[in-house]
Amino acid sequence: MGSLSLPANANTHSGNLSADLEPKSFADESKAVIDFIAGYYKNIQKYPVQSKVEPGYLSVRLPDTAPHSRESLDDILKDVADSIILGLTHWQSPNFFGYFQANASTTGFLGEMLCSGFNMVGFNWLASPAATELESIVTDWMGKMLKLPSSFLFSGTGFDNITKLVVYASDQTHFSLQKSAKLVGIPPANFRLLSTSFLTEFSLSPHTVRAAIEDDIKPGFVPFYLCATIGTTGAGAVDPIEEL
């Protein structure tokens, strides 16, 4: 495994392209990497889900200094196959029964390739108009699928006060939900962690949810999102989806 060194004329550019991105080699090597990934997924069930290596295993397989010159992609992929894959937990393996293999798809890979290829930064509309407008349109698609009122849509009347939105979840819900709510601007105080108990096998009670919603509506809060979980991380609880 090695890093790629810059050629001597790295400070010059051909046309509008970076010296690090040459279309012909980029196309050829990208195909090789895609074939490598496809082969990995074709055989993923053959690997042990959890790595069997000991701590420090990689240091004896790789040199302790960076290479002086670039190595071929074939050599790099061989290093990945021989030294990296055996040190991975194979989260997408069909043999991994402690995890739902739901975050890898052909569509997702292709979308990631396009995002990486364009390598744009969509700070605002002016930075990349297509990014802002596509995000707004597709988000509205999802909002309409969920039958949200027009006040929640970019194309609708708009919602004037995000500080009034409230999120509901059981006290067994993974903390990533709270982080996501904070990222979109919902105040931490508007996050309702509803208590569960052994009597309900730690599942979220619809009656508890209804009472919390009614309490929030009275002072003017807007119930925005309810997160139900099938198999919580801490207790394996299953929330009653249909009733909720």
Side-chain angles (χ1 to χ4, degrees):
M1 175 175 293
S3 58
L4 300 180
S5 61
L6 293 177
N9 62 344
N11 60 337
T12 63
H13 296 265
S14 174
N16 295 321
L17 295 173
S18 165
D20 294 326
L21 181 58
E22 194 282 311
K24 178 63 169 65
S25 62
F26 170 71
D28 293 341
E29 293 183 347
S30 294
K31 292 173 185 175
V33 172
I34 291 174
D35 288 343
F36 181 87
I37 295 172
Y40 166 75
Y41 275 96
K42 183 178 180 180
N43 298 293
I44 191 172
Q45 74 279 0
K46 298 179 181 179
Y47 301 111
V49 171
Q50 187 175 23
S51 175
K52 305 299 183 182
V53 301
E54 296 292 331
Y57 89 99
L58 195 56
S59 62
V60 300
R61 289 175 171 266
L62 300 182
D64 57 2
T65 59
H68 293 287
S69 59
R70 65 179 294 167
E71 297 180 355
S72 69
L73 181 61
D74 288 341
D75 288 341
I76 293 173
L77 292 180
K78 185 178 186 304
D79 281 339
V80 174
D82 294 343
S83 300
I84 301 301
I85 288 182
L86 78 161
L88 299 178
T89 295
H90 301 283
W91 292 84
Q92 305 304 322
S93 171
N95 300 321
F96 194 175
F97 301 118
Y99 181 77
F100 297 101
Q101 299 83 22
N103 66 343
S105 66
T106 300
T107 303
F109 276 122
L110 298 179
E112 285 289 336
M113 290 170 62
L114 285 171
C115 290
S116 298
F118 291 132
N119 198 22
M120 60 85 194
V121 181
F123 286 132
N124 52 28
W125 184 90
L126 186 61
S128 285
T132 297
E133 297 195 12
L134 179 62
E135 179 182 18
S136 301
I137 292 169
V138 176
T139 300
D140 275 4
W141 289 352
M142 176 62 72
K144 292 173 182 177
M145 288 170 62
L146 295 174
K147 300 186 183 300
L148 295 180
S150 62
S151 59
F152 287 91
L153 306 180
F154 286 100
S155 59
T157 57
F159 189 76
D160 61 355
N161 191 356
I162 196 172
T163 63
K164 290 292 185 179
L165 301 181
V166 180
V167 173
Y168 304 87
S170 82
D171 55 7
Q172 297 293 319
T173 304
H174 195 278
F175 186 71
S176 58
L177 177 65
Q178 296 184 55
K179 293 193 291 184
S180 300
K182 185 177 181 180
L183 283 173
V184 299
I186 297 175
N190 291 18
F191 197 93
R192 307 287 186 258
L193 279 180
L194 305 177
S195 297
T196 60
S197 71
F198 179 78
L199 295 176
T200 60
E201 297 181 331
F202 299 104
S203 65
L204 184 57
S205 165
H207 301 292
T208 301
V209 174
R210 177 179 291 277
I213 289 176
E214 291 175 349
D215 287 343
D216 282 326
I217 289 176
K218 292 175 183 176
F221 287 104
V222 179
F224 172 62
Y225 185 79
L226 168 62
C227 179
T229 304
I230 300 178
T232 61
T233 302
V238 178
D239 292 333
I241 304 299
E242 184 174 357
E243 292 85 350
L244 289 172

